[in-house]
Amino acid sequence: MAILTTAVHGNRFLQGAACALVLLLSACSLKYQDESSVQQVQEPQFTFRNAVFTRYEDNTCTLRLSSTRIEQYQDTDTSFIKDAEFTLWDDSQEMQAEGRCKLLVADTLKNSYSMFNDIDLHGGQEHTLLQGTSLKWNKVGGQLVTGDDSDVHIERDGISVTGSGFSADSNTGEFVFTKPVSGTIETSGEEAE
């Protein structure tokens, strides 16, 4: 009961913002609708605050996720996770990645995860650092992509690059930028012939 009360109280800001947007849009429209046709803002079915989740597969810890707020909605496999911090391990308990972001939208049915704002990821055998504002991870295809206009900063093996139009393939370990990039490459100091 306390969770439901907290969930309703926590979403008053969202309800107010949505109502203001509806009023603003309807005020600019030439066709006015009656109140019964306006959709209500959907309340989360479950809300968890200051939560820590641990996932085990075959008696092995593969994920630890902490968050200040997690919302799950009815009739969907999507969770909205605020202030997410996570660590992923493989079957042999080697850390694959760790990171954080301000918002993580997880669709567990499609194995699709979208991260937004202050993204900071560390991981891989190359100790890659990846920072950005918008990234989408598709676990099934092993693809990590960002929008054409969203900048990403990567540091890996003496390379420091910033650019947009980023995509990476976890199966091959390769990444590509489709837009111009800037950055530096450190060399050992020996001249190549």
Side-chain angles (χ1 to χ4, degrees), residues 40-173:
Q40 297 295 321
V41 175
Q42 185 180 8
E43 293 291 326
Q45 184 178 18
F46 297 105
T47 299
F48 304 96
R49 294 182 188 276
N50 300 319
V52 176
F53 289 98
T54 305
R55 178 182 67 199
Y56 287 87
E57 297 177 19
D58 297 326
N59 295 324
T60 303
C61 180
T62 58
L63 169 71
R64 183 180 185 277
L65 169 72
S66 64
S67 171
T68 60
R69 183 181 178 103
I70 300 174
E71 294 181 352
Q72 294 179 322
Y73 292 83
Q74 187 174 357
D75 301 327
T76 181
D77 293 308
T78 303
S79 298
F80 297 87
I81 304 164
K82 182 180 176 186
D83 300 322
E85 292 187 19
F86 54 89
T87 304
L88 299 165
W89 293 274
D90 63 14
D91 296 338
S92 62
Q93 287 295 285
E94 291 289 326
M95 187 193 73
Q96 289 184 320
E98 63 182 352
R100 62 183 165 86
C101 61
K102 290 292 183 184
L103 177 64
L104 172 62
V105 180
D107 185 335
T108 55
L109 184 64
K110 295 179 182 176
N111 278 318
S112 175
Y113 305 89
S114 298
M115 295 170 272
F116 302 97
N117 300 329
D118 297 332
I119 301 166
D120 191 19
L121 300 175
H122 302 266
Q125 295 176 347
E126 299 85 14
H127 304 290
T128 303
L129 166 68
L130 190 141
Q131 297 171 319
T133 56
S134 173
L135 288 169
K136 184 172 184 179
W137 166 249
N138 181 314
K139 185 177 178 180
V140 175
Q143 301 294 312
L144 181 66
V145 298
T146 187
D148 282 344
D149 298 325
S150 182
D151 282 345
V152 170
H153 176 76
I154 296 176
E155 293 180 16
R156 171 179 154 181
D157 294 334
I159 299 172
S160 177
V161 178
T162 302
S164 56
F166 171 81
S167 65
D169 186 333
S170 68
N171 299 315
T172 63

